Amino acid sequence: PVLPGAQTAGALVLPEISVGSSALLPETAGHDLNLMLLWAYGLGAGWALLRFLSGLGRLLWLSRRGCAETLADGCVLIRSEHVAMPFSFFRWIFVPGDFGDETPELKPVLDHERAHAFDGHSLDVLLFELLGVALWFHPLAHWYRKAIREVHEFLADDSAARQSNRRQYGLLLLQQAQTVQTVSFVHHFYQSPLKQRLIMLTKKSSAPVRGLQYGLLLPVALLLAVLFQAPVSAQTTATSKQDNTVLTTCD
């Protein structure tokens, strides 16, 4: 009812608002997505790290179960019945238990694995394994890890073939090549890609002149950059001087 003397006010329509959890939905969804990505990265990195640590544990187990012999050059030759194919890790060289001193394959195997040991290839492999753990989702990390291992095999093959006949060394690779379960980050003697290793054995080393040609590419590129930069700098300086000149007469 309208009271005497009272003034009637018009209706004021307020904007509609929603009170509840729906107002925080976008922020909550973004937080959940970040948490899911973090969990996915953690699971992948944890699995890669577990695989890496299990490989280290297997190496320690093989070193304790085998018969160790310290060689004159400081390498440790470990013969074990649990080793199916020769491989090395730093200066540990693992060979099957039936590899005796009279085995003809022992010398080229030792020459190959010594090249890995003295060139520090295992340190490179460990570095790329840890890189693969941190960047397990990135395909380039796995590609680099595979590529560096292939380069190591080429270098070790070349070093071992220099101390014997290359043809006999290549035939040894063909005769002993097999597929077995191996540790991922050690250097196996009969390791694929076998075809590329045989091709590299037949190639000759690049001449020093070829290396000099590649070495001159960087100085030539720097010289060209300087030569192209000089006219541009001179033109810019001339333009700036011309722009700052005060003209008192007009043409």
Side-chain angles (χ1 to χ4, degrees):
V2 180
L3 299 177
Q7 296 180 356
T8 304
L12 179 62
V13 180
L14 298 177
E16 182 179 359
I17 61 172
S18 299
V19 179
S21 60
S22 59
L24 302 177
L25 183 59
E27 182 181 355
T28 305
H31 179 72
D32 292 342
L33 179 60
N34 293 335
L35 187 60
M36 290 177 59
L37 292 176
L38 185 61
W39 271 102
Y41 173 79
L43 290 176
W47 173 256
L49 182 61
L50 181 63
R51 175 176 170 270
F52 174 74
L53 294 178
S54 65
L56 285 179
R58 177 170 174 79
L59 283 176
L60 293 175
W61 180 79
L62 288 175
S63 66
R64 294 179 179 275
R65 296 296 297 269
C67 180
E69 175 188 356
T70 303
L71 303 179
D73 55 5
C75 294
V76 179
L77 179 63
I78 302 176
R79 294 182 174 93
S80 175
E81 299 295 335
H82 303 280
V83 175
M85 59 188 302
F87 65 90
S88 64
F89 182 69
F90 286 97
R91 297 201 175 187
W92 288 354
I93 301 177
F94 295 84
V95 295
D98 56 354
F99 267 51
D101 295 336
E102 69 282 354
T103 304
E105 294 87 358
L106 182 62
K107 183 182 182 306
V109 166
L110 290 180
D111 293 338
H112 180 95
E113 302 303 338
R114 281 188 177 111
H116 286 308
F118 294 126
D119 291 343
H121 292 171
S122 295
L123 188 61
D124 293 340
V125 172
L126 282 182
L127 175 62
F128 279 92
E129 284 292 332
L130 294 176
L131 184 66
V133 171
L135 301 176
W136 61 269
F137 57 89
H138 205 298
L140 279 182
H142 303 282
W143 182 85
Y144 276 121
R145 179 175 59 185
K146 179 182 177 181
I148 195 65
R149 290 171 62 83
E150 291 181 359
V151 172
H152 287 167
E153 295 304 321
F154 298 153
L155 293 174
D157 286 339
D158 181 68
S159 178
R162 290 179 181 178
Q163 305 181 41
S164 61
N165 184 274
R166 287 183 178 268
R167 179 180 176 85
Q168 294 179 355
Y169 185 82
L171 291 176
L172 175 64
L173 291 179
L174 287 174
Q175 292 172 1
Q176 302 295 333
Q178 54 184 332
T179 304
V180 295
Q181 185 177 2
T182 59
V183 183
S184 61
F185 53 86
V186 296
H187 292 99
H188 296 278
F189 178 69
Y190 311 118
Q191 181 179 357
S192 59
L194 182 61
K195 179 179 178 181
Q196 286 82 350
R197 292 174 66 181
L198 293 176
I199 292 175
M200 293 297 293
L201 278 176
T202 60
K203 287 187 176 182
K204 296 182 179 180
S205 301
S206 300
V209 178
R210 189 71 175 273
L212 181 61
Q213 292 175 355
Y214 284 112
L216 290 177
L217 288 179
L218 182 58
V220 170
L222 293 176
L223 180 61
L224 291 177
V226 172
L227 292 178
F228 279 109
Q229 185 66 24
V232 174
S233 301
Q235 184 179 0
T236 305
T237 304
T239 304
S240 60
K241 290 182 178 180
Q242 183 178 0
D243 293 341
N244 294 332
T245 302
V246 178
L247 302 178
T248 56
T249 58
C250 58
D251 295 335

